Amino acid sequence: MGAGNAQQNFNVVHAPDLLVKQHMNNDSGPIQTLKPRILLLRTIRASDWSRVEFYGRLVKQLSSGTDYWSLSSLFPALSVSLPDGLFPNLQILHWHHSKNDFHYIHHFLRPTITKISLMSSSNANSSLFSTLATKCPRLLDISVSNTGHDSLEPAVSEFVCNLQCVQKISVPSLDQRALEHISRLTTLNQLILFSMPEVLMPTPLHQSSTFPALRRLTLHYPSIRPTTQFLGWCSGVPLAEFHTCFWEAVAGTEIDSFLAAISTAFLHSSLTSLSIDGDCDDLEGSDPNIHIITLQSIRRIFTFVNLTELVITSLVGFDLDNDAVAELARAWPRIVTLTLAVCFPRHEPSVTLSCLHSFAQHCPHLRVLTIALDARVAPSPNIDPRTRFVQHALTTLCVEHSPLTEPLHAARFLSGIFPKLTNVQTQREHYANDEEQEQEHGDAIRLHRLWKRVEWLLPELSAIRDEGMMLAQAPWTA
């Protein structure tokens, strides 16, 4: 419980003889932590509330029900005598309680609240949503998470349909009517969903553009087919950031349809950040070739010429060669972060180190690049500065599972076109890579160590080049 950013200890500030805060060990994990628990020392008296009400108008934010801080032990006694309007200026409410304590939220709802975060665990809590929009008419930011197995979609969707000036919505899911409602709001600028309705009307929502103010859209682990259908609803959305992750084995044809839907849903000039992540448990029994992402599919998003961040994760890889990479580099001249990641590589990459010339030539702002490439043969760096493109922004190169034989040759080539490159990472970057791991991942660890040798050589080679340039520019003396 706090006023502004100040976190006040309730029993010390207001009634030291009434409350005590005890610490309890949390033995749920290997590292023990301390959790506070508030206990009543005596019966609550009327005079206690006068003390609280004096400071209550200063409280702008209330958080309860988290693992670290909870008022649960006080609710039975508080609910009997809690005065109305305890915190008349409350603006932010975080309420993360189980179903047994969830209903006590009614004591703290105020018309001044603009941001609310709820963790509801069952349909037993859903009755709150029928009155929430009325009790808190100024809501701008609403976040609802569901920790149980019951679907809250009907109650949450009905609640959302009553919001008129909301700016941010984060909920597990919404039905078709709620999606139609928020698509017309001129205030909504951020939307976060975890799933989409399996069946949507095939006809467009509106003749005009949808989501006229939406700037950020995040879809966590939805199914790709209803998500593609939802994007087919959208038109002319001025989106700046779109992030999603599919926790399923997505076929290349599904990705193609998905990227086509993105291309028609969002304004081409507005989108600057696009992230399409993905993963699944394994691909046993599946033909890896059906999951490959092709250049033809990626071309569908070439229309977003202002992209500064692009992340695409393929389950098995990309069908790209050096010429295809050159197309990518020319398509996004403003790109800063480009990630073409692979979860389960099935084929050696067709892209070679030479493709990096395209990024040096066409992407002057590129700082982080993730791409799998065949580095077993390194091209000789062109020593003529008049024909060699040198890019001074790239600092991090993630090479995934790229094959490599001679670290010195690769490092010499890389330092010649990316003199600021200092960080080279592989898929084994955050693993132990010890003897025990070598039994199962020996080849990957060997490649990791070779690329780490490249990383070690880069600053040495850059220093040699800098020294050579200084000597070449120095006046000659006999």
Side-chain angles (χ1 to χ4, degrees), residues 270-442:
S270 64
L271 194 67
T272 59
S273 178
L274 175 60
S275 175
I276 306 169
D277 211 341
D279 202 353
C280 66
D281 294 335
D282 60 66
L283 294 174
E284 293 298 329
S286 174
D287 179 6
N289 293 321
I290 69 173
H291 303 290
I292 291 176
I293 298 178
T294 66
L295 173 63
Q296 180 180 356
S297 296
I298 297 178
R299 282 179 179 146
R300 296 188 180 278
I301 55 175
F302 278 3
T303 53
F304 299 109
V305 295
N306 291 322
L307 280 178
T308 60
E309 178 186 30
L310 175 63
V311 177
I312 303 179
T313 299
S314 171
L315 292 179
V316 300
F318 299 85
D319 183 17
L320 300 174
D321 57 17
N322 288 358
D323 290 337
V325 170
E327 281 194 54
L328 268 63
R330 289 191 295 268
W332 301 306
R334 294 177 174 82
I335 199 73
V336 175
T337 299
L338 176 60
T339 299
L340 302 175
V342 181
C343 295
F344 308 106
R346 291 294 191 269
H347 308 286
E348 290 185 349
S350 300
V351 175
T352 70
L353 276 174
S354 296
C355 81
L356 299 179
H357 279 299
S358 298
F359 294 115
Q361 179 179 358
H362 301 292
C363 304
H365 309 291
L366 183 63
R367 290 201 300 261
V368 179
L369 173 63
T370 300
I371 189 171
L373 40 79
D374 187 345
R376 287 173 292 192
V377 177
S380 298
N382 192 331
I383 61 174
D384 188 345
R386 294 171 299 179
T387 58
R388 185 181 69 210
F389 290 98
V390 179
Q391 200 259 32
H392 294 272
L394 191 76
T395 60
T396 301
L397 176 64
C398 306
V399 296
E400 297 283 271
H401 56 284
S402 300
L404 172 67
T405 53
E406 181 46 65
L408 178 59
H409 294 166
R412 184 181 176 213
F413 170 75
L414 291 171
S415 66
I417 60 175
F418 301 119
K420 301 299 183 181
L421 179 62
T422 58
N423 189 13
V424 179
Q425 300 181 355
T426 76
Q427 285 190 331
R428 300 293 307 177
E429 194 68 26
H430 303 293
Y431 292 89
N433 299 317
D434 52 19
E435 293 183 2
E436 183 178 348
Q437 292 283 319
E438 283 183 347
Q439 297 178 5
E440 184 177 358
H441 306 285

Side-chain angles (χ1 to χ4, degrees), residues 96-404:
H96 295 173
H97 279 282
S98 66
K99 59 183 179 181
N100 295 329
D101 294 331
F102 187 86
H103 65 281
Y104 290 112
I105 189 176
H106 291 286
H107 295 291
F108 302 97
L109 294 178
R110 297 290 175 265
T112 54
I113 292 177
T114 59
K115 178 180 180 178
I116 193 165
S117 173
L118 308 173
M119 183 179 292
S120 187
S121 59
S122 70
N123 277 331
N125 308 146
S126 63
S127 60
L128 162 76
F129 297 105
S130 62
T131 60
L132 186 56
T134 302
K135 292 185 175 181
C136 305
R138 301 181 188 177
L139 277 176
L140 302 177
D141 187 331
I142 172 71
S143 175
V144 179
S145 58
N146 185 11
T147 60
H149 299 289
D150 297 335
S151 174
L152 296 174
E153 182 181 292
V156 173
S157 295
E158 183 67 28
F159 158 63
V160 167
C161 285
N162 292 316
L163 298 175
Q164 300 300 328
C165 59
V166 64
Q167 297 176 0
K168 176 184 176 182
I169 296 176
S170 175
V171 295
S173 61
L174 293 173
D175 63 20
Q176 179 173 322
R177 189 166 72 95
L179 289 173
E180 289 179 344
H181 171 72
I182 63 174
S183 73
R184 295 187 292 266
L185 295 179
T186 58
T187 56
L188 183 66
N189 58 59
Q190 185 170 0
L191 176 61
I192 301 173
L193 298 171
F194 287 79
S195 66
M196 288 289 171
E198 289 296 327
V199 179
L200 296 173
M201 289 191 312
T203 55
L205 281 173
H206 312 287
Q207 298 298 322
S208 59
S209 61
T210 57
F211 297 99
L214 193 64
R215 301 293 291 168
R216 287 182 282 281
L217 174 61
T218 303
L219 306 177
H220 291 290
Y221 309 117
S223 296
I224 190 168
R225 292 180 181 177
T227 304
T228 302
Q229 189 177 11
F230 166 71
L231 293 177
W233 271 16
C234 301
S235 174
V237 183
L239 207 65
E241 301 175 12
F242 178 44
H243 305 283
T244 190
C245 181
F246 299 111
W247 196 263
E248 58 184 346
V250 177
T253 54
E254 292 176 314
I255 285 290
D256 185 73
S257 299
F258 181 69
L259 294 178
I262 289 176
S263 180
T264 59
F266 310 139
L267 289 180
H268 294 164
S269 61
S270 64
L271 194 67
T272 59
S273 178
L274 175 60
S275 175
I276 306 169
D277 211 341
D279 202 353
C280 66
D281 294 335
D282 60 66
L283 294 174
E284 293 298 329
S286 174
D287 179 6
N289 293 321
I290 69 173
H291 303 290
I292 291 176
I293 298 178
T294 66
L295 173 63
Q296 180 180 356
S297 296
I298 297 178
R299 282 179 179 146
R300 296 188 180 278
I301 55 175
F302 278 3
T303 53
F304 299 109
V305 295
N306 291 322
L307 280 178
T308 60
E309 178 186 30
L310 175 63
V311 177
I312 303 179
T313 299
S314 171
L315 292 179
V316 300
F318 299 85
D319 183 17
L320 300 174
D321 57 17
N322 288 358
D323 290 337
V325 170
E327 281 194 54
L328 268 63
R330 289 191 295 268
W332 301 306
R334 294 177 174 82
I335 199 73
V336 175
T337 299
L338 176 60
T339 299
L340 302 175
V342 181
C343 295
F344 308 106
R346 291 294 191 269
H347 308 286
E348 290 185 349
S350 300
V351 175
T352 70
L353 276 174
S354 296
C355 81
L356 299 179
H357 279 299
S358 298
F359 294 115
Q361 179 179 358
H362 301 292
C363 304
H365 309 291
L366 183 63
R367 290 201 300 261
V368 179
L369 173 63
T370 300
I371 189 171
L373 40 79
D374 187 345
R376 287 173 292 192
V377 177
S380 298
N382 192 331
I383 61 174
D384 188 345
R386 294 171 299 179
T387 58
R388 185 181 69 210
F389 290 98
V390 179
Q391 200 259 32
H392 294 272
L394 191 76
T395 60
T396 301
L397 176 64
C398 306
V399 296
E400 297 283 271
H401 56 284
S402 300
L404 172 67

Side-chain angles (χ1 to χ4, degrees), residues 12-41:
V12 173
V13 173
H14 301 304
D17 62 328
L18 175 61
L19 303 174
V20 63
K21 184 174 74 172
Q22 294 184 343
H23 284 286
M24 302 179 297
N25 281 328
N26 175 22
D27 299 326
S28 59
I31 301 178
Q32 291 188 353
T33 58
L34 295 178
K35 294 181 180 180
R37 181 177 60 175
I38 302 174
L39 300 176
L40 276 175
L41 297 180

